[in-house]
Amino acid sequence: MMTRRRKNDPLEPAGPDCDVVTVPARQGLEAVDILRRGAGDAVGPVLHDGGCGTLGFLVPPGTAAAWDVPGSVCTETDGRGIRLTPDRPEEGSDWLVPPGEADLATDPAVLREALGEAQRMIEAADGCS
């Protein structure tokens, strides 16, 4: 007998495997701007939480194992809980950069550089007050 999967089964992978790098919203927004100004489409899909306190960058699977950027967290998802469609991904979050407008994932090395540059910009701006 063949087993059928339900289309919206929360226990089944929703799409390609990915990890998610979560950063404070201010740093993440700066990084999105930096990535968009770079050559090509350097930014993949980006989530924001309902309170806009954090942003989540989708990165290739395996990134979490070596991620060490201070002030951020990289979480393995195994494709679970993230639907790569322009629809709202889950309760309490939404897409800042929806799938379809971006590559499937942001290159972790490029994201690392953008987050570092964003943090330096924030520190410089805060130091001018």
Side-chain angles (χ1 to χ4, degrees):
M1 180 170 152
M2 189 172 180
T3 304
R4 291 182 179 245
R5 290 191 301 185
R6 293 181 305 161
K7 185 176 180 181
N8 294 323
D9 187 340
L11 299 178
E12 291 299 326
D17 289 349
C18 62
D19 290 351
V20 178
V21 173
T22 305
V23 298
R26 186 174 177 199
Q27 183 182 15
L29 290 170
E30 289 287 348
V32 167
D33 285 343
I34 291 164
L35 291 168
R36 284 187 165 165
R37 287 191 312 256
D41 293 327
V43 64
V46 180
L47 293 160
H48 67 80
D49 66 2
C52 293
T54 62
L55 293 184
F57 292 82
L58 273 61
V59 293
T63 300
W67 191 257
D68 61 353
V69 176
S72 67
V73 175
C74 188
T75 308
E76 294 179 29
T77 66
D78 297 325
R80 299 181 192 285
I82 296 178
R83 305 234 180 259
L84 293 178
T85 66
D87 300 333
R88 182 169 289 203
E90 61 184 59
E91 190 67 31
S93 65
D94 207 349
W95 293 110
L96 177 66
V97 179
E101 290 184 15
D103 290 336
L104 287 181
T106 301
D107 180 301
V110 173
L111 178 58
R112 182 184 308 273
E113 289 178 27
L115 289 172
E117 184 178 339
Q119 187 59 40
R120 290 187 296 277
M121 290 173 64
I122 290 168
E123 289 170 0
D126 288 351
C128 292
S129 337

